[in-house]
Amino acid sequence: MQKKIIIEGGRRLEGSCRIKAAKNSVLPILACTVLCSGEVRLHNCPNISDIRDMLEILRSLGAKVSTHGIISGDITIDCRYVDKTAVTGDLTSAIRSSIFLLGPIVTRFGQGIVSSPGGCQIGSRPIDIHLDGLKALGVDIDDQNCLIRCSVKTGKLVGGDIRLKMPSVGATENLMMAAVLAVGRTVISNAAKEPEIVDLANFINAMGGNVQGAGTSEIVIDGVDGLVGGDFTPIPDRIVAGTYMIGCAMCGGCVRLEGANLGHLGALQTVLEKTGVGVFGDSNHIIVESNGNLISPGRIETEVYPGFATDLQAQLMAMLAVTKGESIIVENLFETRFRHAEELTKMGADIDVVNKSAIIKGVKRLVGAEVNAFDLRGGAAMVLAGLAANGTTVVSDVHYIERGYENIVGDLRGLGAEIK
Ligand code: UD1
């Protein structure tokens, strides 16, 4: 039976909720364990399908993976015995993050094959920056029939200067990992600066690598012979935290997010404060206070970090749908990331999408309806809309939401929402 989320809207959100590690940190770190010659123990990891799929792919390569402690967030990975270099098959096509394995596999084995992530339909999410960067480190690439075959003539990557044409998060991470075992120094310029990049660099350094400058647009990696194992706790998920912050702003109430880092959410804090919401906290917790009467913050554009995150754009749109006045969202990162606008309209929202802009005229109340999750964050936005709507909302295709939220229903119920 297809899973659905059913929400009776109109409750305030009160109480506290613990935020686990960031999906977008854990996924590249899991790929990076391919470089480690000892057991890696990751803590506070969410039990979500994207991470389970990545672990399954690691297992298929020969890694020993233990998820006995996953309920409390512990995962143990030992990649010593990895002996396969082809990342193909259904799971690879299903999760885009399988591309992260290319850099680590090629730098460890001098060869590797990966299916084009997401099958052949990568259209608006290309991987040319990943591949151009690997070529600059001496990798020969044959990209045909949805298979990317990589080889290195000498067996060893050689450090070099890579200038990214765009600060792609995934490409920066992939190339950082590839450079870890390359001979000599690699300099990545125009690198992405997201907190997850800094986290990956911290992981690499904790396991014996040498990465400097992560968090700035120039990252310098000095090659080493190998990484060791050890313990690591990835950073908290700023998108999950941001989703619940927006939920509290919309519904009214007071919510405390334990373990969340406000330093990673400066752009959202600014927007929420403009709408009249109180946001307080530090690197270990966030408190949001709202009376539920929001005023338009004007125009918001998604940008690379530290700008407003594209992964919070859908949730923000749900909020602006019930925010007094006219607001504009400009989506600069991805071309077709407005499918939730149509679903919000089914609930009475007044939204016009023109190219990469959405013009949102706030209505007093949304009305519960049957709506779809078309993607992970768009799905979360529909849940938030349901919380703030009059009546019952039913969200279908919940499996998208489960890719990135361990227990969105339990978390929100714990905050007083009527949701099942
Ligand atoms: C990561 C995040 C994702 C987030 C995105 C932007 C993970 C697992 N996912 O995705 O949640 O929405 O950052 O913050 O961390 N591009 C190219 N060529 C490439 C790579 C990217 O043109 O080779 C373009 C993309 O089409 C997009 C832009 O660059 O327009 C940003 O993409 P990128 O930063 O690479 O996003 P991801 O790493 O895929």
Side-chain angles (χ1 to χ4, degrees), residues 24 96 124-129 166 168-170 311 333-334:
N24 288 353
R96 187 181 152 78
S124 62
R125 292 189 82 173
I127 52 167
D128 54 321
I129 305 176
M166 199 190 288
S168 154
V169 176
D311 285 352
L333 272 293
F334 293 107

Side-chain angles (χ1 to χ4, degrees), residues 62-101:
K64 282 197 181 134
V65 175
S66 162
T67 50
H68 291 315
I70 188 74
I71 300 296
S72 51
D74 297 334
I75 302 174
T76 306
I77 312 106
D78 191 340
C79 285
R80 237 170 305 187
Y81 309 104
V82 165
D83 55 357
K84 296 185 190 65
T85 57
V87 186
T88 52
D90 292 351
L91 275 180
T92 316
S93 310
I95 69 161
R96 187 181 152 78
S97 305
S98 53
I99 187 70
F100 288 140
L101 285 159

